[in-house]
Amino acid sequence: MTVDISNFIIATPLPISDTNPISLDLIGWRALIECPSVISMLPDGSLQMTAPTLGASSKSVHRTRCEWKEPGYWLFASAADHWCRQEMRLTKVNSLQKVVIGQIHVQGSERPPVKVFWNKGKITMGFRSSYLQDDPVNSTVLENVPLGALFKINIHANSTGAVSVSASCNGIKSTSAIMRLDNTWDTKTLAFHGGVYNQIDYSDTTDPEDASICVISDLSITHS
């Protein structure tokens, strides 16, 4: 099955230009044509996304990403159920061995309600029950997810603010507890993101070979 990101926004680890070091975002079909060094369609229809640790980033952070992003935002109350289903494998991970692979992003903030990580061979998550909460509550969703192994992650939220994350790998499946968002999220606009977002800051001494690479073999986003 071909992973269709033609209408998604792709956040790349490449600069806007030689004179503007801020990371380049562009629509999926253009990214596939213009940025083959970091995003490409493999012969089987899978999508490969590459984020060198040393690269371009947004103004607010010194961390690189190669992420797909929904092209529009939504409210929790806009649909009964919101689902992000992603099947993928990590073929390379940065030297810290930690990368964001999915999230519910909140517009205009770096404090999302849900982030899902591959973290040293485990799928973990961070959860903020309140928009006003500085630090997330972290938990493990699934252990024993080796580098190179195919795995699935599902992020689910409903209109009443119930959130859960499930993951499966090598025939083993696990689901987080059902967590509750408070009413501070009711008016916040949100979007699913996925791919690879390095959780290590780059510096002048960063190894140019350090990077995270994922291959996404199935991707489904629904709001219904």
Side-chain angles (χ1 to χ4, degrees):
M1 179 185 295
T2 298
V3 176
D4 184 9
I5 48 87
S6 56
N7 293 319
F8 285 4
I9 303 300
I10 306 300
T12 79
L14 303 176
I16 291 174
S17 69
D18 291 340
T19 56
N20 187 343
I22 301 302
S23 57
L24 173 68
D25 285 13
L26 70 173
I27 198 161
W29 65 267
R30 280 191 59 191
L32 287 167
I33 295 171
E34 298 178 17
C35 308
S37 64
V38 295
I39 182 167
S40 60
M41 196 69 66
L42 301 182
D44 66 355
S46 297
L47 182 73
Q48 181 169 285
M49 307 185 83
T50 301
T53 303
L54 185 61
S57 59
S58 66
K59 292 180 181 178
S60 61
V61 296
H62 283 240
R63 296 179 176 182
T64 57
R65 69 186 80 192
C66 190
E67 283 190 312
W68 58 262
K69 306 190 289 188
E70 283 189 278
Y73 288 91
W74 42 269
L75 298 168
F76 281 115
S78 64
D81 292 284
H82 309 274
W83 282 98
C84 172
R85 298 177 174 96
Q86 193 172 212
E87 182 181 66
M88 63 193 300
R89 71 178 79 237
L90 291 169
T91 59
K92 185 175 183 178
V93 180
N94 62 63
S95 56
L96 193 63
Q97 296 283 290
K98 187 176 182 182
V99 61
V100 176
I101 52 176
Q103 64 174 300
I104 302 177
H105 173 76
V106 57
Q107 189 174 21
S109 174
E110 292 296 324
R111 300 184 300 181
V114 177
K115 270 188 179 178
V116 182
F117 305 85
W118 186 94
N119 185 359
K120 299 180 177 71
K122 300 178 181 180
I123 304 299
T124 64
M125 66 175 291
F127 175 72
R128 288 181 175 87
S129 59
S130 171
Y131 179 71
L132 306 175
Q133 183 178 333
D134 286 331
D135 297 319
V137 175
N138 298 309
S139 60
T140 297
V141 181
L142 182 66
E143 301 200 34
N144 299 318
V145 183
L147 188 66
L150 186 68
F151 63 92
K152 296 180 181 180
I153 56 167
N154 297 332
I155 305 173
H156 174 247
N158 68 20
S159 59
T160 65
V163 174
S164 65
V165 174
S166 65
S168 61
C169 180
N170 291 328
I172 306 298
K173 182 177 180 180
S174 182
T175 302
S176 71
I178 296 175
M179 295 158 285
R180 291 281 173 183
L181 299 163
D182 70 15
N183 60 11
T184 59
W185 291 105
D186 289 354
T187 59
K188 306 305 178 186
T189 49
L190 308 140
F192 287 119
H193 292 189
V196 282
Y197 179 10
N198 286 311
Q199 297 300 284
I200 180 174
D201 292 343
Y202 59 75
S203 69
D204 292 339
T205 61
T206 298
D207 184 345
E209 297 300 314
D210 201 54
S212 296
I213 303 173
C214 74
V215 175
I216 300 172
S217 48
D218 197 13
L219 177 62
S220 171
I221 308 294
T222 59
H223 305 279
S224 59

